[in-house]
Amino acid sequence: MSYIIALDQGTTSSRAIIFDHQQTIVDVRQNETRQYFPHPGWVEQDPQDIWATTFGVLQETLAATGIDPKAIDALAITNQRETTIVWDKKTGKPVYNAIVWQCRRTADRCAELVQKGYKALFAEKTGLVIDAYFSATKLAWILDEVDPDRKRAKAGDLLFGTVDTWLLWKLTEGRVHATDYTNASRTMLFNIHDLCWDEEILSILNIPKAMLPEVHPSSYAFGEAHLGRNVMVPVAGMAGDQQAALFGQTCWSPGEAKNTYGTGCFLLMNIGQQPIISQKGLVTTIAAGVDERPTYALEGSIFVGGAVIQWLRDTLHILDEAADSDFFATKLDNNEGVYLVPAFVGLGAPYWDMYARGTMFGLTRGTGRAHMIRAALEAIAYQTHDVLEAMSAESPVDIKTLQVDGGAAGNDFLMQFQADVLNVPVIRPDVLETTALGAAMLAGLQVGLWKDLADLAGHRRINRRFTPTMSSEDRNKNITGWKEAVRRTLSDID
């Protein structure tokens, strides 16, 4: 037997998932990772905790299954994107906590860049909007704190990486400092046309190129991971979580799209080998691929997806388990005019309002727990609708179906409501761990476990297809109510 282990390092947990040749999950191990909130809108993690939990679940799954490490054909890495880590090359120690993608501390710096007229330049070169979400201003902020004159960074003594780069560096014991196209394209420093770090943007932000990693395709022989006892396993696949999911959902042709329902929601559509610079609040990113010629995707990033259910459970304590949300939502025939806009860290695509904050509308004396829970689930679907609406306006190809994955994709109420709001079928695969699967597929292609894309697609299995049932009248009424709630939430409201 041959196996691939995918290391899936997410925002709230680190997981190791073993896949066999049939793309069947053999074992899953998970450890939670802690987040820190030193100031309102700030989000941090300890890079050492990220590493310890990731390497820990890797060792746990090997111990639990008894699989001989020699039977592991390759490791794959998929990761929370944009999260920014800087460490000392000599000591291997981080110089500051990881600044998480959700962190808004550099919102004012981004606003300054826009005011100085850089919006079009950044969009054209990187495909991104100027926002605190991405890595660039996070990295500049850390350097301002620990190396204001940039002396150590210019000398190459400080290294930058997103989480994939940090894990690869640790797994290879400091021998490899690299990333892949997908993660590089999320930094707001990478030229997605020329496939290189952009010198002009680096100069604007005063970021020395010497601290940046090498960049390779997602399916690539990155280096050998040391698993102990002289066991070396190639790291052969690496991709940011959302691009990995797009690949894992076999969205390999233009017009094919997927949505991942995790902490946030991320809707990506394959647009082929010619990038489209969005005019509708979307971003253009590099999709995971198997060679040097990149494929591009339009992406709509929703900052708060499944996290709104965690908020109901952990902060408001009106849910005991996230899975209970399905039960409470179905106790009502409709939302009875209650809308929740979960702008806890601002609004992402297509609004990009860094200063919006969460709001709830339509409350009456009769509003209860079920209304709030249903409104939270519906908000996830409405936000996805807004992104898909913008995507459809810019793409020459209509989306016929939406592939879904991630933890919240297991919620039947949410998936049915999503199909109803979008008025397109929603397809849920048998394996919801599509992010990890996509990374494993990239690694497996590199080492020959699967011979080509057709071989990969032959193992795909569908769990359920959700078909729209809502009337057009109800759909329009619901969407109109949602859009009014969003309008009243935006920070620049009159």
Side-chain angles (χ1 to χ4, degrees), residues 107-167:
D108 289 344
R109 175 69 171 124
C110 291
E112 289 175 8
L113 291 170
V114 172
Q115 291 169 1
K116 289 180 179 179
Y118 290 124
K119 181 178 179 180
L121 181 146
F122 276 73
E124 179 58 37
K125 291 191 171 194
T126 71
L128 308 177
V129 298
I130 295 176
D131 193 86
Y133 171 36
F134 303 108
S135 308
T137 55
K138 294 175 174 30
L139 173 55
W141 190 95
I142 292 176
L143 289 176
D144 288 343
E145 291 292 308
V146 305
D147 188 27
D149 60 4
R150 306 305 197 256
K151 182 178 180 181
R152 296 168 66 193
K154 289 177 181 177
D157 293 333
L158 295 183
L159 301 181
F160 156 73
T162 43
V163 169
D164 59 306
T165 301
W166 168 244
L167 294 179

Side-chain angles (χ1 to χ4, degrees), residues 67-79:
I67 292 175
D68 186 341
K70 295 179 181 178
I72 305 300
D73 283 10
L75 292 181
I77 297 173
T78 185
N79 55 285

Side-chain angles (χ1 to χ4, degrees), residues 277-352:
I277 303 303
S278 173
Q279 304 300 316
K280 299 287 185 179
L282 304 175
V283 300
T284 306
T285 195
I286 298 179
V290 297
D291 52 39
E292 293 283 350
R293 188 178 181 187
T295 296
Y296 297 92
L298 279 177
E299 175 173 340
S301 304
I302 298 166
F303 296 156
V304 177
V308 69
I309 304 303
Q310 295 174 330
W311 173 69
L312 295 177
R313 182 193 64 191
D314 300 337
T315 304
L316 297 190
H317 303 292
I318 63 174
L319 276 174
D320 292 327
E321 301 290 341
D324 295 340
S325 60
D326 190 296
F327 168 77
F328 285 102
T330 55
K331 291 182 69 175
L332 301 171
D333 293 332
N334 56 67
N335 64 17
E336 299 184 3
V338 177
Y339 292 90
L340 168 63
V341 184
F344 303 144
V345 289
L347 285 173
Y351 304 104
W352 294 105

Side-chain angles (χ1 to χ4, degrees), residues 378-393:
E378 289 187 354
I380 300 172
Y382 287 130
Q383 290 179 99
T384 301
H385 166 272
D386 292 349
V387 171
L388 187 58
E389 184 178 53
M391 217 168 257
S392 297

Side-chain angles (χ1 to χ4, degrees), residues 111-262:
E112 289 175 8
L113 291 170
V114 172
Q115 291 169 1
K116 289 180 179 179
Y118 290 124
K119 181 178 179 180
L121 181 146
F122 276 73
E124 179 58 37
K125 291 191 171 194
T126 71
L128 308 177
V129 298
I130 295 176
D131 193 86
Y133 171 36
F134 303 108
S135 308
T137 55
K138 294 175 174 30
L139 173 55
W141 190 95
I142 292 176
L143 289 176
D144 288 343
E145 291 292 308
V146 305
D147 188 27
D149 60 4
R150 306 305 197 256
K151 182 178 180 181
R152 296 168 66 193
K154 289 177 181 177
D157 293 333
L158 295 183
L159 301 181
F160 156 73
T162 43
V163 169
D164 59 306
T165 301
W166 168 244
L167 294 179
L168 179 65
W169 196 83
K170 295 290 286 185
L171 285 166
T172 60
E173 298 182 322
R175 292 187 296 274
V176 181
H177 182 221
T179 188
D180 81 302
Y181 288 154
T182 69
N183 279 293
S185 74
R186 308 300 297 184
T187 61
M188 211 167 76
L189 298 170
F190 192 71
N191 190 310
I192 62 172
H193 310 280
D194 299 334
L195 303 181
C196 63
W197 301 113
D198 193 89
E199 300 277 1
E200 185 176 8
I201 291 176
L202 293 177
S203 176
I204 292 169
L205 294 172
N206 193 17
I207 294 174
K209 189 177 180 180
M211 68 184 308
L212 305 180
E214 296 180 357
V215 189
H216 302 292
S218 301
S219 183
Y220 184 82
F222 287 95
E224 290 196 317
H226 181 67
L227 302 188
R229 298 181 181 178
N230 296 320
V231 176
M232 306 295 285
V233 176
V235 179
M238 199 154 71
D241 51 11
Q242 304 313 317
Q243 291 99 323
L246 186 71
F247 193 84
Q249 289 277 26
T250 67
C251 295
W252 302 327
S253 299
E256 294 180 333
K258 71 88 199 174
N259 195 25
T260 296
Y261 299 80

